[in-house]
Amino acid sequence: MKIYVVYDSEAGHTEQLARSIAKGAQSVPGAEVFINHVNKANVRELAHMDAIIWGCPGHFGTISSGLKEWIDKLGYLWANGTLVDKIGAAFCTTVTIHGGIEATLLNLITPMLHQGMMVVGLPANIPENALYGSYYGVGVTSPVEDANDELIQSLFKKGLGLGEILGKRVAQTALTVAAGKQMHALPQQDHKGF
């Protein structure tokens, strides 16, 4: 099972979140995780993945230009239905509390829905998510350089923990979907006489 994590990062906070997501995915036996900055990521590799997780810093409540340009290259995959039924998830960072995290996450999952992907978020039965997370993926408030704000530092560290949980949930979901596909691919047995 192959999972691709693609991220855009400017100050390094989104990369840290991407790496925590990859770590969570790698904790699931059978998961092979690939992680790339958007400048090095190749959209053609997505055809060979079971799950795709992408994220970026939120720019005024929407996708960063670097990741948006990369997503805009997915047209031929859409035309061929290549990403239909693949698992997808999103993540983002902002530098202010309520700085557009949920708006950015919604903008990140919209292209996945257009591709026919199955989007995975975090449910409320994860206590940390209910307290300071988001149901649409993982959104983290990042510390501004040289700021010594304990609340922001704490939220960022807790957000990295939620990143690991999201990565693990995506990998487990991809395994479940793959197992279901294998079951349906098995030859049908004749059940006459039962």
Side-chain angles (χ1 to χ4, degrees):
M1 179 201 37
K2 296 181 177 181
I3 300 169
Y4 203 71
V5 180
V6 179
Y7 67 92
D8 190 10
S9 187
E10 294 156 1
H13 298 112
T14 312
E15 180 177 0
Q16 288 180 59
L17 181 55
R19 294 200 179 284
S20 73
I21 291 167
K23 180 180 176 183
Q26 288 168 337
S27 73
V28 176
E32 185 179 5
V33 181
F34 305 86
I35 182 168
N36 266 318
H37 186 278
V38 70
N39 291 342
K40 296 179 181 178
N42 184 343
V43 295
R44 299 195 180 276
E45 293 173 345
L46 300 182
H48 309 291
M49 300 297 146
D50 299 292
I52 302 152
I53 309 169
W54 60 49
C56 64
H59 285 195
F60 309 107
T62 193
I63 306 171
S64 68
S65 61
L67 185 60
K68 179 67 168 74
E69 181 182 351
W70 186 82
I71 289 171
D72 286 345
K73 296 176 185 173
L74 302 179
Y76 84 96
L77 294 172
W78 172 83
N80 294 311
T82 307
L83 303 184
V84 170
D85 292 338
K86 292 186 185 289
I87 305 301
F91 61 98
C92 73
T93 59
T94 61
V95 296
T96 58
I97 297 174
H98 305 298
I101 285 175
E102 289 196 339
T104 302
L105 289 171
L106 289 169
N107 279 301
L108 285 165
I109 64 175
T110 300
M112 293 179 177
L113 295 170
H114 280 257
Q115 293 282 349
M117 297 171 67
M118 296 181 280
V119 177
V120 173
L122 289 176
N125 68 350
I126 299 169
E128 299 86 353
N129 194 54
L131 288 172
Y132 52 82
S134 172
Y135 304 112
Y136 311 117
V138 172
V140 177
T141 302
S142 306
V144 177
E145 309 321 319
D146 301 325
N148 194 16
D149 187 321
E150 289 182 23
L151 173 62
I152 299 298
Q153 295 287 348
S154 173
L155 286 173
F156 184 67
K157 288 177 185 171
K158 289 177 179 180
L160 294 179
L162 281 176
E164 285 189 41
I165 293 169
L166 179 67
K168 183 174 182 178
R169 183 169 159 79
V170 168
Q172 290 171 333
T173 302
L175 277 175
T176 301
V177 169
K181 287 179 182 178
Q182 287 178 350
M183 278 184 49
H184 291 295
L186 294 175
Q188 296 296 317
Q189 296 180 358
D190 184 1
H191 294 290
K192 291 179 183 175
F194 288 99

